Amino acid sequence: MTKSDSPQPADDDAAARRRRRLAEVFGDVLPETTSDERGGGGSAEDRESWYRENRPPHHGG
């Protein structure tokens, strides 16, 4: 086995530091789970309330 075939602990540490730094700068780009996987979406009334509260005045209401 050559040196490039086996990961070194220093390489793992460097990769972990790089991932941490990217997360600090950019945040989580995608959540670990989707809203479908999390469930508990609430009632249709709750989902509609955001649209009613944020309806532009020229759309009536």
Side-chain angles (χ1 to χ4, degrees):
M1 195 182 298
T2 64
K3 185 176 184 179
S4 63
D5 290 340
S6 62
Q8 299 296 319
D11 292 339
D12 293 341
D13 291 343
R17 281 194 306 273
R18 182 170 186 261
R19 284 191 298 274
R20 254 193 321 273
R21 179 67 180 143
L22 285 171
E24 287 175 12
V25 173
F26 296 107
D28 291 331
V29 177
L30 297 173
E32 293 294 322
T33 59
T34 64
S35 59
D36 292 343
E37 293 171 322
R38 289 187 295 269
S43 68
E45 179 68 27
D46 293 339
R47 289 189 297 264
E48 297 286 325
S49 66
W50 183 89
Y51 292 104
R52 284 193 300 277
E53 292 168 3
N54 292 289
R55 182 182 310 156
H58 62 276
H59 281 263

